[in-house]
Amino acid sequence: MTLLSVNINKIALLRNSRGRNYPDVDAFAARFLDLGAAGITLHPRQDQRHARYSDVESLGQLCQQRGAELNVEGYPATEFMEVVYRYRPAQCTLVPDAPDQLTSDHGWDMRKDAALLQPVLAGLKAAGIRSSLFVDASISDADLALAKQMGADRVELYTEPYAETYGTAQNDAVLQTFADTALRAQRAGLGVNAGHDLNLQNLGKFLQIKDILEVSIGHAVIVESLEQGMDNVTRQYLDIIRRSVQAQA
């Protein structure tokens, strides 16, 4: 079954804008878990403009207490990896973000970045932390094989191209590309996650793709919660996931 991991970076951004612990990131994460989310995602960037490295510790404790997973995303800079190794989240998703990048907008170049990624993936495996690599749907079979060879456990499909074409004549073809990539990754021995710009409107169609293990959704969840309320929005996401599982059964 696909698991829902809620990215709470936007809650952290609101907190940081006022200089005190309001809204409380941990409290909102706990509420999402109480509502049925399977995990929490946190993406502390190098300038810590929203999620902070200190959040990894408290959210890790929360998720452990609740039997949930913490997924920590980020560029494998030295300080980031020190935090990951110190607090050992269930999953670490490596993302090729530049320090000043507004948001994630592309996947890894496996051959170009292999020298950086291979020792990091080995370190995560030694620490017992599941690894995932952020990748484009255009990734080749050779690069998927290289990801597996380097020790990655999963890949996360960068889904903005799907979201951008949702509702257009091009969307079915784009979705098929993602479905083909997911199948190729699975055949290479990699689990498949997905995330970026998924929302209540486009998630159901995307989950026609079989065996997506986890979707990480943040910006849309927060915006939709402002409009409709957290309880209602979280319930809708879980209903979409349940219906997708039933459709594939």
Side-chain angles (χ1 to χ4, degrees):
M1 180 174 176
T2 304
L3 301 181
L4 172 64
S5 184
V6 176
N7 186 318
I8 57 170
N9 276 25
K10 288 301 185 293
I11 300 295
L13 181 65
L14 286 172
R15 174 198 61 191
N16 293 357
S17 70
R18 295 303 294 269
R20 58 191 179 95
N21 192 35
Y22 182 76
D24 186 320
V25 169
D26 291 355
F28 271 85
R31 188 171 171 189
F32 277 119
L33 294 176
D34 289 342
L35 290 168
I40 298 295
T41 290
L42 194 72
H43 188 153
R45 287 181 166 80
Q46 294 177 58
D47 60 8
Q48 298 184 70
R49 60 183 180 268
H50 33 59
R52 299 170 180 160
Y53 292 139
S54 58
D55 292 323
V56 178
E57 178 180 14
S58 58
L59 288 171
Q61 293 172 351
L62 171 68
C63 288
Q64 187 174 29
Q65 291 165 2
R66 301 297 181 91
E69 289 198 348
L70 177 63
N71 170 44
V72 178
E73 300 181 340
Y75 182 83
T78 299
E79 187 176 10
F80 174 84
M81 293 311 305
E82 287 174 351
V83 170
V84 169
Y85 291 139
R86 184 179 307 129
Y87 299 119
R88 301 198 176 195
Q91 179 174 268
C92 178
T93 301
L94 303 177
V95 183
D97 282 343
D100 59 348
Q101 196 164 318
L102 182 63
T103 188
S104 308
D105 62 8
H106 64 281
W108 290 101
D109 181 329
M110 291 300 164
R111 296 178 187 280
K112 177 182 175 183
D113 298 319
L116 169 66
L117 292 173
Q118 188 161 5
V120 173
L121 291 167
L124 291 171
K125 191 170 291 292
I129 301 168
R130 187 173 69 236
S131 61
S132 181
L133 296 176
F134 201 61
V135 301
D136 297 311
S138 59
I139 187 171
S140 68
D141 286 344
D143 284 351
L144 287 168
L146 179 57
K148 180 64 176 178
Q149 180 185 335
M150 290 191 295
D153 298 306
R154 297 184 183 182
V155 291
E156 179 176 333
L157 300 177
Y158 167 53
T159 52
E160 185 174 1
Y162 163 77
E164 283 186 334
T165 62
Y166 183 76
T168 72
Q170 294 77 40
N171 189 245
D172 286 348
V174 173
L175 179 64
Q176 187 59 53
T177 297
F178 276 89
D180 292 344
T181 303
L183 181 59
R184 292 189 293 109
Q186 291 154 357
R187 287 176 173 169
L190 296 160
V192 179
N193 299 338
H196 207 89
D197 285 353
L198 296 173
N199 59 34
L200 287 174
Q201 284 69 49
N202 62 37
L203 177 61
K205 184 175 181 179
F206 186 82
L207 289 182
Q208 293 174 12
I209 299 173
K210 292 185 177 181
D211 299 322
I212 299 295
L213 299 176
E214 174 188 290
V215 288
S216 174
I217 307 176
H219 185 80
V221 169
I222 304 306
V223 174
E224 291 159 343
S225 294
L226 289 172
E227 296 171 338
Q228 305 177 44
M230 285 178 62
D231 296 37
N232 183 26
V233 167
T234 306
R235 189 182 309 114
Q236 289 182 69
Y237 274 107
L238 296 175
D239 285 346
I240 290 168
I241 290 171
R242 277 192 288 268
R243 288 197 299 270
S244 73
V245 171
Q246 291 168 359
Q248 293 180 20

